[in-house]
Amino acid sequence: MDNGGSRMNKGFLAIIAIFVLVAGIGIFMVFQDNGATNGANNPETSTQATDQQTNTNPTTNNSDSQDPSSTASDAQQVTYDGSSFSPSEISISAGETVIFTNNADRSMWVASDTHPSHTDLPEFDSGQIPVGGTYSFTFEESGTWGYHNHLASHITGTVIVE
């Protein structure tokens, strides 16, 4: 009888272990999304889901230091095609503006390094930019500023401010 009870205990423990494992995986997946709603932070989700949460105006200017005399003609241009920024490195003078244009088929999010905290230049953080949208930022501080697409952080670029 002892053997029968021992087998039942092992079976019961195996069922409990499986339940704990499944629950742990479920909890991990919930926290993996990090509070994202409708896949807004997942670059693999559809453009429609992410664009619904962005500003409906395709032109975005989140820079508080934007020079009002700056125009598109004297600003540096960087385009995003979904796989890279072009040019991937630019050199500008302090006080110059860079305009980032989203030519991809999904939203982008230009932000300073380091991913995901964007602490190198915290004010350089566009939020989501819809397809066809732009974001301009005036670089006031000299330095080499790395940036990335927050929605696909392996896609990077550099602004060198002299």
Side-chain angles (χ1 to χ4, degrees), residues 93-123:
S93 297
E96 281 191 80
T97 299
V98 178
I99 299 174
F100 297 86
T101 302
N102 183 5
N103 291 335
D105 61 357
R106 63 178 61 184
S107 295
M108 73 169 184
W109 180 335
V110 180
S112 74
D113 287 344
T114 305
H115 182 74
S117 60
H118 312 147
T119 54
D120 289 358
L121 191 60
E123 60 273 17

Side-chain angles (χ1 to χ4, degrees), residues 43-58:
E44 299 303 320
T45 60
S46 73
T47 304
Q48 181 180 16
T50 58
D51 284 348
Q52 289 174 352
Q53 296 179 12
T54 62
N55 183 348
T56 55
N57 179 355

Side-chain angles (χ1 to χ4, degrees), residues 10 18 21 33 45 55 65-66 78-79 86 88 126 142 155:
K10 286 181 183 178
I18 291 170
L21 180 64
D33 284 344
T45 60
N55 183 348
S65 59
Q66 178 70 28
V78 174
T79 59
S86 181
S88 62
S126 69
S142 296
I155 302 173

